[in-house]
């Protein structure tokens, strides 16, 4: 056998045998969010959001970037849907801008806002791409921040439910999958106090986001409670207003404690730590109660809540959505009293292109496995996974070999989780296109498709080709 024959048969063997395949019907999706791609920040009756205000405040965003124009997706959505079809994407997770639908946050509906998402959904369905809508990806109507301190008030949770009900009633005939809120942990903690991340070698990184508040712990815990209450009220409002077969969940960046070793003892410890790490968000939404340890640790700073609210927060959902980027920490058995120790991340641990991105693909195995084991949901979606890279457009090409490595490594681990029985129904890559990366502005490129932010020209990268072939094969390639 010649060398070339041998290598051809070796590379295709895995794919042909189905050894690295995902379950049939697995969805290959891409994800974006309104403020990060739409632009048209004050067009067609849209009201301002806290992100318009924050980005317009000098010093908040790198290079003074804003989402005023972003990818101009608002006007170029048809081209963008065609590009997604070329990726063989079968699902698109986008977010709906609350102040586009309700410029004042409550009250009068802006028909132009409904009209935009209605056209987008029609375009997607015509391209064979299933729309998955996120109702809140951080662009709170500024009026709600001004009127009652935004998420500091339960009134914002109630206003969210009214808004969710309106979207469900107006677009629920064609959108069958809804996510209530995106990344509770991020927008609450980072926006209302700032968050410290462990970065290896004992270093930490501080991140802040809109509205840029620095609340004390008791106030923060109350904001956390209002955010999960909004989710519960939102689930009920969508159920009441969308057709009965609408599927509803949330998209949370769960903290994941990764076991240092894959032994039953270490895996069990990690699972316990993960449940507590997520006590104010994932855990309370899936269990309808705050853990004893969370309440004990919070003490006098614990949120004020009622049993009725807890029941609402724990409203049954159809799927769990998790954004998975990095391990939060590693744990290992030890002879300490609690039976384990937190293993510090090493100073030379591999990282991806954004400041916070510790790289370990095994989190894509453990995160869905822990969710399955702790809460046994019917279905799990990976609602985001991706990385920034120092992409360069050279002779019309972007050869992002590091992103291809990242995707192959992460999807290999996800495939291993599905093989082990994790009920993962789909994967959404973040992001289809480079876009406005919050505080990093346009400096962090996360897309499969390169965007020139001067001309807004779109150019698929090497990783786009990888995604297209993997989605076609429904397997890791
Ligand atoms: C997500 O998180 C966002 O949903 C999306 O809008 C954003 O563009 C994308 O990721 C890429 O950053 O919690 O373990 O993942 C946004 C910001 C929140 C990412 C905190 C890093 C810390 C580590 N980030 N997170 S982890």
């Amino acid at each position: 056998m010649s060398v070339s024959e041998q290598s051809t048969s070796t590379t295709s063997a895995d794919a042909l045998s189905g050894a690295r395949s995902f379950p049939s019907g697995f969805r290959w999706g891409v994800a974006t969010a309104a403020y990060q791609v739409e632009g048209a920040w004050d067009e067609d009756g849209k009201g301002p959001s806290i992100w318009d205000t924050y980005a317009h405040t000098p010093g908040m965003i790198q290079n003074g970037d804003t989402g005023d124009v972003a990818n101009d997706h608002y006007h170029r959505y048809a081209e963008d849907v065609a590009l997604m079809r070329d990726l063989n994407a079968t699902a698109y997770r986008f977010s709906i801008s609350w102040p586009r639908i309700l410029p004042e946050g409550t009250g009068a509906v802006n028909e132009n806002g409904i009209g935009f998402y209605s056209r987008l959904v029609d375009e997607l369905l015509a391209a064979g791409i299933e729309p998955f809508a996120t109702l809140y990806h951080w662009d709170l109507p500024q009026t709600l921040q001004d009127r009652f301190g935004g998420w500091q008030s339960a009134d914002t949770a109630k206003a969210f439910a009214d808004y969710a009900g309106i979207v469900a009633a107006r677009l629920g005939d064609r959108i069958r999958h809804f996510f209530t809120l995106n990344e509770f942990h991020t927008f609450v903690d980072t926006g209302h106090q700032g968050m410290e991340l462990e970065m290896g070698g004992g270093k930490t990184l501080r991140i802040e986001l809109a509205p840029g508040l620095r609340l004390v712990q008791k106030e923060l815990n109350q904001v956390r409670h209002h955010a999960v209450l909004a989710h519960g009220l939102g689930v009920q409002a969508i159920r009441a207003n969308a057709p009965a077969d609408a599927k509803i969940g949330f998209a949370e960046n769960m903290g994941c404690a990764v076991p240092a070793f894959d032994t039953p003892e270490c895996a069990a410890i990690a699972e316990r730590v993960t449940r507590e790490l997520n006590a104010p968000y994932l855990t309370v939404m899936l269990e309808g109660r705050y853990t004893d340890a969370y309440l004990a640790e919070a003490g006098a700073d614990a949120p004020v809540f009622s049993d009725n609210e807890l029941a609402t927060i724990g409203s049954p959902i159809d799927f769990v959505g998790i954004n998975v980027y990095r391990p939060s920490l590693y744990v290992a058995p030890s002879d300490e009293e609690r039976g384990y120790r937190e293993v510090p991340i090493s100073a030379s641990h591999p990282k991806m292109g954004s400041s916070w991105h510790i790289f370990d693909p095994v989190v894509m195995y453990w995160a869905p496995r822990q969710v399955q084991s702790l809460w046994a949901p019917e279905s799990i979606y990976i609602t985001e996974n991706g990385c920034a890279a120092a992409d360069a457009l050279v002779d019309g090409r972007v050869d992002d070999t590091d992103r291809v490595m990242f995707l192959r490594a992460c999807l290999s681990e996800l495939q291993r989780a599905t093989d082990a029985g994790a009920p993962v129904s789909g994967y959404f890559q973040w992001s289809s296109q480079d876009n406005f990366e919050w505080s990093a502005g346009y400096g962090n490129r996360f897309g499969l498709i390169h965007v020139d932010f001067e001309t807004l020209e779109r150019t698929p990268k090497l990783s786009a080709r990888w995604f297209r072939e993997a989605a076609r094969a429904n397997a890791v390639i």
Side-chain angles (χ1 to χ4, degrees), residues 32-33 36 93 137-138 182-183 185-186 190 195 197 207 209 253-256 323-328 354 356-357 384 386 430-431 435-438 444 446:
T32 66
Q36 294 179 272
R93 173 173 176 245
H137 201 123
W138 308 353
N182 177 69
E183 292 203 358
H185 186 188
T186 305
T190 312
M195 184 160 38
L197 291 172
I207 325 187
L209 296 173
N253 61 322
M254 66 178 283
C256 184
N323 294 358
V324 182
Y325 287 94
R326 55 162 282 182
S328 305
S354 41
W356 49 267
H357 206 165
E384 287 181 29
W430 184 275
S431 178
N435 59 48
F436 178 83
E437 176 58 14
W438 308 114
N444 271 198
F446 270 83

Side-chain angles (χ1 to χ4, degrees), residues 8 12-13 20 22 28 46 50 52 78 96 151 207 235 260 268 280 313 324 333 347 356 408 434 446 464:
T8 303
S12 56
R20 283 152 55 93
F22 287 89
W28 289 79
K46 175 182 166 294
I50 58 171
D52 292 313
I96 294 180
W151 293 107
I207 325 187
V235 171
I313 291 165
V324 182
W356 49 267
R408 182 184 293 117
D434 297 339
F446 270 83

Side-chain angles (χ1 to χ4, degrees), residues 232-369:
L233 292 169
V235 171
Q236 296 179 351
I238 298 165
R239 293 240 190 266
N241 287 282
D245 59 348
K247 302 273 189 227
I248 312 172
F250 53 72
E252 169 61 337
N253 61 322
M254 66 178 283
C256 184
V258 167
F261 328 107
D262 189 351
T263 61
E265 182 194 12
C266 195
I269 289 164
E271 196 175 295
R272 279 209 312 278
V273 174
T274 289
R275 178 168 172 268
E276 288 302 340
L277 271 182
N278 294 284
Y281 303 116
L282 200 66
T283 307
V284 72
M285 290 190 284
L286 293 170
E287 298 183 15
R289 63 184 294 268
Y290 288 113
T291 66
D292 296 339
Y294 177 66
L295 293 178
E297 202 189 308
D301 290 339
V304 177
F305 60 87
S306 68
D307 288 348
N308 197 19
E309 286 173 345
L310 286 183
T312 299
I313 291 165
S315 296
I317 54 176
D318 303 299
F319 49 77
V320 169
I322 47 176
N323 294 358
V324 182
Y325 287 94
R326 55 162 282 182
S328 305
L329 75 160
Y330 294 90
V331 292
S334 86
D335 47 19
E336 285 171 43
E337 203 187 322
R338 61 183 180 176
Y340 72 91
R341 68 187 187 97
E342 299 185 1
V343 183
I345 296 171
S346 121
S348 60
H349 194 101
K351 298 181 178 74
M352 300 308 296
S354 41
S355 59
W356 49 267
H357 206 165
I358 297 289
F359 174 54
D360 187 345
V362 85
V363 69
M364 282 295 274
Y365 174 79
W366 288 113
R369 292 286 279 155

